[in-house]
Amino acid sequence: MTVTVQPKALTNYKARDFRMLIDGNWVKTEDGSTLERVAPGHGVIVSRYQAGTKPDAERAIAAARRAFDDGPWPNMTGAERSNLLLKAADLIAARADELAHLDAIESGKPISQAKAELGGAVDIWRYAAALARDLHGESYNTLGQGTLGVVLREAIGVVSIITPWNFPFLIVSQKLPFALAAGCTTVVKPSELTSGSTLVLGEILAEAGIPSGVVNIVTGTGPEVGAPMTTHPDVDMVSFTGSTGVGRLTMANAAQTLKKVSLELGGKNPQIVFPDANLDEFVDAAVFGAYFNAGECCNAGSRLILHRDIADEVTARIAELSKKVKVGDPLDPSTQVGAIITPLHLEKIAGYVSGARDAGADVALGGEALDLGLGQFMAPTILSGVKPEMAVAREEVFGPVLSVLTFETTDEAIRIANSIDYGLSAGVWSRDFDTCLTIGRRVRAGTIWMNTFMDGASELPFGGYKQSGLGRELGRHAVEDYTETKTLNMHIGARTNWWMPR
Ligand code: NAD
């Protein structure tokens, strides 16, 4: 039986009304229409955002273009931009509880986890601030007496930033501070399901002293607001995190004007487990990897590839531990798995489970939605006997559903791991150094965890192979991603003429 935490009604909570930030002003959309956000864990309206339109996106792009072309932001020193980012980090830390609460009620994630994400986000803003002072190019004094070469790093220009609903504040923090550190100006579109904390970030940046037009935040749907942000000729780069399908569309849209694109997309991440692994540690990591953020996580460890000799024992141990995971009220500090983002998404998750059952998989645990009186929830679910060709082993379920596959040889494990279109992250569990390194080098994914899962740090690049994305976020190159290189080829002394050699 799943341990549940009954959601408490949000009786005293007053829904927040948000405006959009365009050119330093908090504005409504022309006809005043709004999108209402129903809290997935409580079933009541908690936020109203402006239902922005294409003209709103165009106004924001024009403001960002002016702010870039006329300054002052791109012309400020790295130290000045760094100081502003540090001030923003302090203000985010000061409002972390408010921001975490907004993320928890709008997305349905547990409040304890939302607070941890805010802590991570503050660290990223500080890290980006440090990088702002270290952005530099190269010089070549080795090209002969007549030439000095200097390679500049220049801000790329206006960047469209489009984010998903599953980590609302954390993901905008993986993009915006690095774009700002480079000297770019931006138009940000948060998910229409979880825009609140990004709009509060707009207030924070205004308080920190960001010049008007440098950060614009437009709310609304993808087709209405996001699409023009990917096609408009005045946008120089699109930084997108979301589904692989919309990522593909974004790349096609950006191709019309040959914009640079950075894409962080879906994942179906394997954890490969050998018999010599520390199974106590692994079982805990498997449960964490599968149910963290209710499995609505690009990095979810949703595909276990267990050595045949240990598969039955390990699956049983994971099922036992899964029964202890607390599912329910996102605002209860003891909750570990919160609500599912929308009723429609819950149906999609349930569809994957019934499809797997029809294809011959066994439901070893859960498999059902949970009725907790308010909101929508899914029981932690384990599917055993999953074959590599089944949809549930190849596609992103984006729910608390763990698929268990088996292998006999290392080559077979690697073949199964690499047999799908995604390549975001992977885990390997073994006490043998050679085994870990072999998997680490041969599995095609942007991050490989060895004897751990889903750890991260601002210093470590993150992103996907194959259809999990393009480019990397975080790490010391993250600011460079928002720059162009420019070559200054400088001549010293008399030139050799082309038409009349001396
Ligand atoms: P989504 O692709 O539906 O939406 C993402 C964003 O794109 C939203 O803001 C949405 O409004 C916008 N959008 C939708 N249609 C658009 C269009 N035509 N043009 C421009 N923008 C458009 O994704 P989602 O459901 O919000 O998020 C879940 C997905 O995000 C999952 O696939 C998950 O794996 C992925 N994700 C990836 C990472 C990563 O770092 N790799 C991190 C988090 C989430």
Side-chain angles (χ1 to χ4, degrees):
M1 276 292 285
T2 306
V3 183
T4 57
V5 185
Q6 176 72 32
K8 288 197 186 75
L10 287 180
T11 35
N12 294 322
Y13 190 80
K14 186 177 171 315
R16 279 176 77 157
D17 288 296
F18 290 100
R19 294 187 177 200
M20 303 182 286
L21 180 60
I22 299 180
D23 208 8
N25 299 308
W26 290 98
V27 297
K28 292 184 171 182
T29 194
E30 209 153 76
D31 66 1
S33 56
T34 54
L35 298 169
E36 291 180 334
R37 180 59 183 146
V38 174
H42 300 93
V44 292
I45 295 167
V46 284
S47 301
R48 279 184 207 92
Y49 325 119
Q50 297 300 307
T53 56
K54 188 176 178 201
D56 294 316
E58 288 169 345
R59 266 191 291 279
I61 292 166
R65 188 77 257 167
R66 276 193 305 277
F68 187 79
D69 292 344
D70 303 339
W73 186 250
N75 304 321
M76 283 163 64
T77 64
E80 287 169 323
R81 284 200 290 268
S82 176
N83 287 338
L84 193 137
L85 295 178
L86 287 172
K87 197 166 173 194
D90 290 344
L91 293 169
I92 294 167
R95 292 178 74 173
D97 283 351
E98 174 196 356
L99 289 161
H101 188 271
L102 262 176
D103 273 3
I105 54 174
E106 290 183 359
S107 76
K109 68 174 67 235
I111 185 72
S112 59
Q113 182 195 314
K115 286 181 180 174
E117 285 169 28
L118 258 296
V122 169
D123 187 66
I124 297 174
W125 280 81
R126 293 196 172 126
Y127 180 64
L131 294 179
R133 301 188 71 152
D134 193 42
L135 181 62
H136 61 273
E138 300 159 352
S139 64
Y140 286 86
N141 197 26
T142 51
L143 308 176
Q145 283 197 320
T147 304
L148 176 63
V150 172
V151 182
L152 302 181
R153 283 269 174 198
E154 292 188 341
I156 196 166
V158 173
V159 182
S160 287
I161 292 177
I162 300 175
T163 58
W165 47 260
N166 57 344
F167 297 97
F169 199 86
L170 190 61
I171 288 176
V172 73
S173 300
Q174 291 179 3
K175 300 175 182 294
L176 185 57
F178 299 100
L180 294 176
C184 294
T185 61
T186 60
V187 179
V188 182
K189 191 201 96 61
S191 165
E192 58 273 36
L193 301 175
T194 54
S195 303
S197 61
T198 301
L199 292 161
V200 173
L201 176 61
E203 293 172 17
I204 286 171
L205 290 169
E207 191 182 340
I210 196 105
S212 294
V214 173
V215 176
N216 304 274
I217 304 170
V218 185
T219 48
T221 65
E224 190 67 38
V225 175
M229 288 169 61
T230 63
T231 53
H232 199 289
D234 280 346
V235 171
D236 299 292
M237 173 175 171
V238 181
S239 176
F240 172 88
T241 297
S243 59
T244 292
V246 179
R248 212 174 275 129
L249 183 64
T250 295
M251 196 166 172
N253 281 345
Q256 294 168 32
T257 47
L258 289 174
K259 299 180 199 318
K260 182 172 180 179
V261 288
S262 156
L263 303 172
E264 295 289 340
L265 309 176
K268 185 78 190 178
N269 313 294
Q271 294 215 62
I272 302 173
V273 190
F274 289 84
D276 67 339
N278 180 334
L279 295 179
D280 294 338
E281 296 271 330
F282 165 68
V283 167
D284 181 74
V287 170
F288 165 61
Y291 310 134
F292 171 73
N293 214 48
E296 296 168 327
C297 178
C298 55
N299 262 332
S302 52
R303 208 162 47 114
L304 297 188
I305 306 179
L306 306 181
H307 193 279
R308 201 175 294 284
D309 292 350
I310 53 165
D312 289 347
E313 177 210 334
V314 168
T315 306
R317 287 181 63 182
I318 293 170
E320 275 315 300
L321 191 59
S322 299
K323 289 178 194 161
K324 297 182 183 159
V325 169
K326 286 190 179 173
V327 184
D329 191 343
L331 293 179
D332 189 301
S334 73
T335 294
Q336 292 167 294
V337 176
I340 299 300
I341 190 77
T342 58
L344 194 64
H345 189 58
L346 182 63
E347 273 178 36
K348 182 181 158 198
I349 296 169
Y352 268 109
V353 175
S354 60
R357 207 186 260 133
D358 293 347
D362 297 316
V363 179
L365 185 77
E368 307 291 340
L370 292 171
D371 184 358
L372 301 186
L374 295 173
Q376 63 270 343
F377 298 87
M378 178 79 193
T381 295
I382 300 174
L383 301 172
S384 59
V386 174
K387 300 286 177 252
E389 60 279 7
M390 291 181 188
V392 77
R394 313 183 70 78
E395 296 170 19
E396 212 182 24
V397 175
F398 233 55
V401 178
L402 187 59
S403 291
V404 181
L405 297 87
T406 58
F407 74 95
E408 279 179 54
T409 65
T410 301
D411 281 348
E412 185 188 6
I414 293 168
R415 203 165 43 244
I416 296 170
N418 286 339
S419 68
I420 63 166
D421 292 335
Y422 293 116
L424 189 59
S425 60
V428 52
W429 292 81
S430 167
R431 287 190 170 97
D432 186 83
F433 194 63
D434 292 350
T435 303
C436 287
L437 287 186
T438 301
I439 299 288
R441 292 172 79 160
R442 288 179 55 197
V443 170
R444 302 194 65 220
T447 298
I448 312 281
W449 285 289
M450 297 183 182
N451 298 313
T452 187
F453 202 72
M454 245 196 285
D455 291 340
S458 304
E459 289 83 350
L460 298 179
F462 175 70
Y465 277 48
K466 300 195 275 184
Q467 294 187 33
S468 286
L470 202 59
R472 296 289 179 269
E473 296 191 327
L474 302 176
R476 70 189 172 89
H477 298 295
V479 177
E480 290 174 9
D481 216 32
Y482 294 96
T483 64
E484 286 272 22
T485 51
K486 179 184 278 177
T487 298
L488 298 185
N489 189 325
M490 298 179 274
H491 186 71
I492 305 163
R495 249 189 100 241
T496 305
N497 289 336
W498 177 66
W499 59 275
M500 200 175 73
R502 268 182 267 229

